[in-house]
Amino acid sequence: MRIVIKVGTQVIASKNGLDQKKIAKLTKEISFLIKKGHQVVLVSSGAIGAGLPSVPFTNPHRKKIAAAIGQPILIHDYYREAKKYKISIGQILILSNDFTNPERFKNLVSNMEAMLSHKILPIINENDVMKGEDLTIGDNDILGAKVAVGLKADKLIILTNQNGLHTCNPDHNENAKLIKEVKNINSKIENLCSVDKSDLGLGGMISKVSAAKYATSHGVETLVGNGKEKDIIIKALGKDFPGTRFIAPASLKPRRTEK
Ligand code: GLU
C-alpha cells in the first residue's frame, strides 16, 4: 500500500521544542510498515516549533528564522530514529509552484517514486523560509493531500491533537461526539469544524476537512486521528480506526502503474 502520513506540530512539539519520544514512536511505526513492504511518505510539520526556543528575540522574521533553525533539527531527529531500523530518510522542501509547474511536479513525483522504490522514507515540509505570500501552499494538511493525490496514494493519514472530527468542538463541549465515518463532505460537515488554530502550527480541523475533501474527490481515502494514540498509524490501516474515516468513492480510486 502507498500511504502518505501527515504529522502536525501539536503531535510532536511543545513550547520547549520537539518531543523526542513521540518522534521515536512514530518513526518506529513507520519503519515497521516500510519493512512490511508498504511505501510511506511523511509530511511533517514541526520546524517552527523545533526552532522557536532558539529565537528568544522579537523580530518580524522570527518564524522564518525558527523554521530555518528548526528544519535541520526536525530532520535530524527523524534521521537518528530511522537509522535504528536501517531506514534511510530524504528531505524534500516544497513551495506551491512545485505543484503548479508541470516540470517541477513531474520531478517531484518521479523523485519520490524513485525513493519509495528503494524503501527510502521521503520527509516533506513546506519550504517555510523561501515562501512568501505568492508561493505559499497554506498549510501542511493540504500539502499532504496534494502529495497523496500526486502519488496516487491509497491512503492519506492526518495525525493531529484531536481524535478526529466531532459533532462540535470537543475542547469546549463535553457532549461532543466523534464522527467515525464521512461519506460526503458537504457544507453540514464543513460547518462542524472549529476555527480554533494551534499556536505553533497552521491548520485546525477545518483544514483537515478541506484536505480530506480534496484527497477524497481524487479517490484517496483520508483518515484523521490522534497522533498521541498508541499505534495510531497501524490502527489506521485496520478496520477499527479510532478516528474519522473520510471515504473516497471507489470509482475515483487512482490507478498506479508500479515501476
Ligand atoms: N511548515 C510549518 C512547520 O514545519 C508548519 C505548517 C503547518 O502546520 O501546516 O513548522
Side-chain angles (χ1 to χ4, degrees):
M1 213 183 277
R2 185 173 284 181
I3 309 151
V4 175
I5 300 167
K6 185 265 170 173
V7 177
T9 301
Q10 296 303 310
V11 176
I12 54 163
S14 67
K15 286 201 166 62
N16 305 320
L18 294 176
D19 178 342
Q20 309 286 334
K21 278 199 190 134
K22 193 65 224 175
I23 292 186
K25 279 193 192 143
L26 283 172
T27 313
K28 186 177 177 188
E29 251 191 287
I30 291 171
S31 302
F32 171 78
L33 292 177
I34 295 174
K35 289 209 186 289
K36 276 192 85 175
H38 294 294
Q39 296 186 330
V40 184
V41 173
L42 178 63
V43 174
S44 181
S45 302
I48 296 172
L52 271 181
S54 306
V55 195
F57 44 84
T58 43
N59 184 294
H61 299 269
R62 189 162 178 256
K63 281 198 170 170
K64 300 270 181 188
I65 299 170
I69 294 174
Q71 182 63 28
I73 300 174
L74 177 68
I75 282 293
H76 183 264
D77 282 354
Y78 283 119
Y79 166 78
R80 184 195 60 232
E81 296 307 320
K83 201 166 173 237
K84 293 181 184 165
Y85 309 99
K86 299 193 169 54
I87 299 284
S88 296
I89 64 154
Q91 171 183 268
I92 307 178
L93 298 178
I94 299 186
L95 293 169
S96 64
N97 61 356
D98 294 316
F99 291 108
T100 51
N101 176 303
E103 197 180 334
R104 280 168 172 249
F105 182 67
K106 202 172 119 223
N107 287 339
L108 175 65
V109 171
S110 62
N111 290 329
M112 276 195 286
E113 287 193 323
M115 291 165 83
L116 291 175
S117 71
H118 289 279
K119 297 187 178 297
I120 297 162
L121 170 66
I123 304 185
I124 303 178
N125 197 356
E126 190 169 4
N127 192 335
D128 289 317
V129 179
M130 295 306 293
K131 74 177 186 193
E133 286 293 308
D134 49 343
L135 294 177
T136 185
I137 294 167
D139 58 67
N140 276 354
D141 298 315
I142 195 69
L143 191 158
K146 287 191 174 181
V147 168
V149 170
L151 280 173
K152 299 187 167 71
D154 299 292
K155 283 184 201 302
L156 167 65
I157 302 172
I158 300 180
L159 299 180
T160 183
N161 59 346
Q162 300 283 0
N163 291 338
L165 179 66
H166 289 75
T167 48
C168 52
N169 188 339
D171 290 336
H172 304 309
N173 193 329
E174 58 184 29
N175 295 323
K177 286 208 171 55
L178 179 73
I179 301 174
K180 295 209 80 172
E181 198 176 278
V182 176
K183 288 208 176 86
N184 177 17
I185 304 176
N186 51 26
S187 53
K188 212 170 132 201
I189 290 291
E190 285 166 318
N191 288 339
L192 293 174
C193 302
S194 88
V195 288
D196 296 352
K197 293 185 179 185
S198 64
D199 296 341
L200 297 174
L202 300 166
M205 193 48 72
I206 187 112
S207 76
K208 316 264 169 304
V209 172
S210 308
K213 191 173 183 176
Y214 179 81
T216 53
S217 69
H218 290 81
V220 181
E221 180 175 276
T222 303
L223 299 111
V224 177
N226 196 329
K228 304 241 164 159
E229 166 125 7
K230 194 171 179 285
D231 297 333
I232 187 72
I233 303 172
I234 292 162
K235 286 178 186 163
L237 301 183
K239 288 212 171 74
D240 253 341
F241 176 59
T244 306
R245 185 185 299 270
F246 295 88
I247 310 274
S251 58
L252 295 177
K253 192 166 169 19
R255 277 198 202 160
R256 257 186 345 254
T257 39
E258 300 285 354
K259 290 186 196 103

